[in-house]
């Protein structure tokens, strides 16, 4: 049977029950308690940042299940489900023990179908990565839950990763003398640590779960920030503002510094620069900067031209007799 049809059967999969084997057990030995499999259906639901772009075309989804603090995995905080919690050779064990079944990737063309799988009846984490055609993670969803108390079908909210930052400085460039200035934007880009984020603490409230939590933008973990400096130019006529950053794997963080420099004129040397700062947007928000000013421009940016006209001398004959 194909992997997709195993883990995401359209029909609801009934809970699997088991009987003890005929082997005679030592009455004094503790009996290992396995878990049952529950039919749990999951629906992906994405939300975007307020200023969107990048390649947001959804092509495939990768689903991953972790057991949380399970005795079947040495009480690790999060352990990839491998079937240890099921009786050997049971239907659930045979599925989860296959490495290629967790994580599993399916096309978004199956979104119209309600998916069900042999969900272990224990504390779990579900991680959903929605990817574009370049296999970049566009939306990330994480939910901690227990199937016994969850409401199915359970929605896994996905949050757009990355950031977008644009700027429009035309009001300054269009001042008289604005052709003599240059503008630079300096900001920090912090890479998203996807692995650490997916295994980290999540703090959002999931109302579908009596005791469950879900991932939100503030739960993202970042790596070391790197400074970027971009020259700002005129916005093309009728075009979009100048793009400073637009991507899925980094976030603009810290302070954005805008520096305006007077490059001088043929008769005046450069006079220095002037800087303003603005805080980067919070996670979940892109930022479109527009530079404004109440100042006026100047017209002394070229040599003065001189064109002197002399008087004319007209010859007059004056007779003296």
């Amino acid at each position: 049977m194909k992997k997709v049809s195993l883990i995401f059967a359209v029909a609801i999969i009934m809970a699997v029950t088991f009987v003890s084997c005929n082997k005679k057990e030592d009455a004094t030995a503790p009996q290992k308690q396995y878990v049952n499999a529950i039919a749990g259906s999951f629906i992906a639901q994405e939300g975007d940042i307020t200023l969107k772009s990048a390649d947001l075309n959804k092509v495939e989804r990768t689903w991953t299940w972790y057991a949380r603090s399970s005795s079947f995995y040495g009480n690790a905080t999060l352990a990839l489900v491998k079937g240890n919690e099921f009786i050997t050779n049971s239907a659930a064990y045979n599925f989860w023990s296959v490495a290629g079944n967790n994580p599993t990737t399916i096309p978004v063309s199956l979104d119209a179908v309600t998916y069900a799988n042999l969900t272990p009846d224990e504390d779990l984490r579900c991680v959903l990565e929605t990817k574009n055609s370049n296999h970049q993670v566009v939306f990330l969803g994480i939910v901690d839950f227990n199937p016994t108390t969850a409401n199915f079908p359970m929605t896994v909210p996905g949050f757009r990763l990355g950031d977008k930052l644009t700027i429009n400085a035309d009001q300054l460039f269009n001042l008289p003398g604005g052709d003599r200035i240059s503008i630079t934007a300096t900001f920090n880009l912090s890479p998203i640590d996807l692995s650490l984020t997916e295994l980290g603490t999540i703090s959002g409230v999931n109302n579908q779960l009596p005791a469950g939590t879900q991932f939100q933008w503030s739960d993202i973990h970042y790596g070391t920030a790197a400074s970027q400096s971009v020259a700002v130019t005129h916005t093309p006529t009728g075009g979009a503002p100048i793009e400073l950053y637009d991507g899925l794997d980094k976030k603009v963080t810290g302070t954005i510094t805008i520096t305006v420099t007077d490059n001088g004129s043929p008769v005046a040397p450069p006079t220095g620069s002037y800087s303003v700062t603005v805080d980067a947007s919070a996670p979940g928000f892109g930022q479109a900067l527009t530079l404004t000013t109440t100042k006026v421009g100047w017209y002394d940016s070229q040599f003065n031209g001189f064109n002197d006209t002399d008087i004319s001398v007209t010859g007059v004959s004056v007779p003296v007799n």
Side-chain angles (χ1 to χ4, degrees):
M1 185 178 292
K2 293 182 180 180
K3 179 174 66 173
V4 170
S5 59
L6 275 171
I7 193 168
F8 293 122
V10 175
I12 299 299
I13 303 171
M14 301 303 294
V16 180
T17 57
F18 306 97
V19 296
S20 60
C21 60
N22 293 326
K23 183 179 178 180
K24 188 174 180 181
E25 302 286 350
D26 184 351
T28 61
Q31 300 299 305
K32 190 171 184 178
Q33 299 296 315
Y34 293 96
V35 304
N36 288 332
I38 290 180
S41 53
F42 302 86
I43 299 174
Q45 182 183 76
E46 282 87 27
D48 198 7
I49 61 175
T50 57
L51 187 67
K52 58 184 173 182
S53 190
D55 180 4
L56 304 183
N57 295 314
K58 296 176 286 187
V59 174
E60 61 187 15
R61 305 189 193 280
T62 297
W63 300 78
T64 308
W65 278 267
Y66 295 93
R68 295 187 292 131
S69 302
S70 171
S71 60
F72 296 98
Y73 299 95
N75 295 311
T77 302
L78 290 169
L80 199 67
V81 173
K82 298 180 179 179
N84 296 1
E85 53 272 88
F86 297 111
I87 295 177
T88 302
N89 291 327
S90 65
Y93 172 86
N94 289 340
F95 173 78
W96 290 103
S97 61
V98 176
N101 289 341
N102 186 30
T104 186
T105 300
I106 62 172
V108 297
S109 59
L110 297 179
D111 279 356
V113 181
T114 299
Y115 307 115
N117 68 351
L118 296 166
T119 306
D121 187 12
E122 59 185 336
D123 289 335
L124 295 172
R125 167 167 291 188
C126 173
V127 176
L128 169 59
E129 297 176 344
T130 299
K131 303 175 182 178
N132 60 21
S133 58
N134 294 319
H135 305 290
Q136 293 176 293
V137 179
V138 180
F139 299 98
L140 178 64
I142 308 174
V143 176
D144 286 348
F145 69 105
N146 187 290
T148 302
T149 58
N151 297 318
F152 293 108
M154 187 175 72
T155 299
V156 182
F159 292 78
R160 153 76 194 275
L161 299 181
D163 205 352
K164 182 174 182 180
L165 178 64
T166 66
I167 190 169
N168 187 320
D170 285 0
Q171 189 174 134
L172 273 67
F173 284 129
N174 291 336
L175 288 173
D179 59 328
R180 297 292 184 181
I181 64 173
S182 61
I183 301 176
T184 302
T186 303
F187 52 94
N188 292 322
L189 281 179
S190 296
I192 294 172
D193 190 325
L194 196 59
S195 297
L196 188 58
T197 297
E198 293 180 349
L199 298 177
T201 301
I202 55 177
S203 57
V205 177
N206 191 319
N207 294 326
Q208 298 183 99
L209 311 172
T213 53
Q214 71 178 35
F215 168 79
Q216 58 184 353
W217 277 301
S218 59
D219 297 327
I220 297 176
H221 290 264
Y222 299 98
T224 303
S227 179
Q228 307 288 313
S229 186
V230 180
V232 179
T233 58
H234 278 283
T235 298
T237 302
I242 302 303
E243 181 181 287
L244 299 178
Y245 177 74
D246 183 13
L248 297 168
D249 59 347
K250 299 179 181 66
K251 175 78 177 73
V252 179
T253 57
T255 300
I256 303 166
T257 301
I258 309 298
T259 302
V260 181
T261 301
D262 180 358
N263 295 318
S265 68
V267 294
T271 58
S273 60
Y274 177 79
S275 296
V276 294
T277 60
V278 61
D279 291 334
S281 61
F285 295 89
Q287 203 162 29
L289 305 178
T290 300
L291 304 187
T292 62
T293 184
T294 58
K295 304 298 183 179
V296 298
W298 59 95
Y299 287 97
D300 61 344
S301 57
Q302 295 290 348
F303 286 110
N304 291 325
F306 300 94
N307 186 13
D308 300 327
T309 302
D310 200 358
I311 61 172
S312 298
V313 178
T314 302
V316 178
S317 177
V318 182
V320 177
N321 296 315

